[in-house]
Amino acid sequence: MRLRAITGFFFVIVMLGSVLLGNVVFTLFYLALSVFCLHEFNGLVKQGTADPNLYTGLLNGIFVFLAFAAQSYFPSKFLLFLLPVLLGSIFIQELYKKSEHPFNNIAYCFLGLLFTITPFTFFHGMAFISGSFNFHIPLSFLLMLWANDTGAYVVGSQLGRVKLFPRHSPKKTWEGFIGGILITAGVAVILSRYYTEYDWKQWVSVGILISTFGTMGDLIESMFKRSINVKDSGGILPGHGGLLDRFDGLLLAAPIVYAYLYFITNA
């Protein structure tokens, strides 16, 4: 428990620093984080039946993130036009491998990009959604994501009775899920008093989206781990597991929240 608490403390400090130290640090940090998550994903897949090419996947992951992140600094479609060419290398590379299931490898390679790189590109895009870098949005996202995890754990451990999805996550309960939503909504109201980019109703809507789809992301990551029969996605965070274990809530919630904020910002 002590090791978990120490790791959690430094994890929070690093995450806050990644948002508060400016746009360049923000971009480079989440580029590195998304690539490490992809590397962790590929390592897990290799324990199963697929053998996606590690280096092809990582190079494409770096380029996908940078191609979209670059739009926040100097809008240009040039890098985006290169994406089909580089992504095609995933197919071409399999021609030179001796594999009984080449399209299984291709599918998992693309799934890795979709599951790990894409969510972080949307999270990165939140900071620039108004046209210039604004740390309020990603910081608020992280605070509400943590509030949901904490609220769901506290309420679920004290009042939880009805299982939410026992097939994939036997400890999660409906009581915890509802508790997480309510606590996240409360944090959203507090944030609306200091970050006035959106009114309190919009912040609460963001909080509900984070709670709902963050929980689904957690369940999906649990389903993935159970499908390959592993408990933790890795051991890089002592007492907490792997990076995918820590960011499972972001993986599904970030694209949904970005879409919501994009439409209300540009309405």
Side-chain angles (χ1 to χ4, degrees):
M1 181 63 70
R2 184 179 178 182
L3 178 62
R4 181 180 177 87
I6 293 173
T7 302
F9 173 78
F10 284 104
F11 173 80
V12 170
I13 295 299
V14 170
M15 294 305 298
L16 292 178
S18 72
V19 174
L20 298 175
L21 292 178
N23 58 333
V24 175
V25 171
F26 180 76
T27 298
L28 294 178
F29 180 85
Y30 284 97
L31 167 63
L33 182 59
S34 63
V35 171
F36 277 120
C37 285
L38 178 58
H39 184 273
E40 190 173 88
F41 175 88
N42 286 335
L44 291 171
V45 167
K46 285 179 178 290
Q47 297 181 34
T49 58
D51 184 29
N53 186 280
L54 177 62
Y55 298 108
T56 302
L58 292 180
L59 288 173
N60 274 278
I62 292 170
F63 189 84
V64 167
F65 186 95
L66 289 177
F68 285 98
Q71 307 304 306
S72 302
Y73 291 92
F74 43 89
S76 171
K77 305 302 180 185
F78 176 72
L79 292 177
L80 296 180
F81 283 125
L82 289 178
L83 277 177
V85 177
L86 291 177
L87 291 173
S89 66
I90 296 173
F91 293 92
I92 296 171
Q93 179 265 337
E94 282 296 324
L95 290 173
Y96 296 91
K97 286 178 61 177
K98 294 181 179 180
S99 174
E100 294 182 2
H101 307 286
F103 277 90
N104 201 28
N105 299 335
I106 291 169
Y108 271 105
C109 199
F110 276 102
L111 178 61
L113 297 175
L114 181 64
F115 191 62
T116 61
I117 302 296
T118 301
F120 283 106
T121 64
F122 280 103
F123 181 75
H124 178 273
M126 287 182 204
F128 298 88
I129 202 162
S130 60
S132 59
F133 180 72
N134 181 0
F135 72 86
H136 293 175
I137 312 301
L139 177 59
S140 298
F141 182 99
L142 291 175
L143 292 175
M144 287 188 279
L145 187 65
W146 296 339
N148 178 66
D149 290 343
T150 303
Y153 173 77
V154 172
V155 175
S157 61
Q158 297 298 317
L159 303 175
R161 296 291 184 273
V162 183
K163 300 299 182 182
L164 177 64
F165 222 118
R167 187 166 75 243
H168 298 302
S169 187
K171 293 183 179 181
K172 281 186 170 48
T173 63
W174 277 102
E175 293 85 353
F177 174 63
I178 294 171
I181 290 178
L182 293 177
I183 290 174
T184 304
V187 171
V189 172
I190 295 172
L191 288 170
S192 70
R193 297 176 62 87
Y194 299 95
Y195 297 159
T196 57
E197 290 86 352
Y198 306 105
D199 63 35
W200 72 269
K201 293 179 182 178
Q202 293 169 329
W203 278 117
V204 169
S205 297
V206 170
I208 293 173
L209 290 174
I210 290 173
S211 293
T212 303
F213 290 98
T215 301
M216 289 184 181
D218 190 335
L219 290 168
I220 290 169
E221 200 251 350
S222 295
M223 178 174 66
F224 169 61
K225 289 189 295 184
R226 286 180 178 274
S227 71
I228 56 177
N229 201 27
V230 299
K231 181 180 179 181
D232 295 323
S233 65
I236 194 172
L237 299 172
H240 288 263
L243 291 173
L244 291 176
D245 294 323
R246 290 303 89 208
F247 293 99
D248 49 9
L250 181 147
L251 299 178
L252 195 60
I256 301 296
V257 170
Y258 177 88
Y260 173 76
L261 291 177
Y262 179 84
F263 284 116
I264 65 173
T265 301
N266 296 280

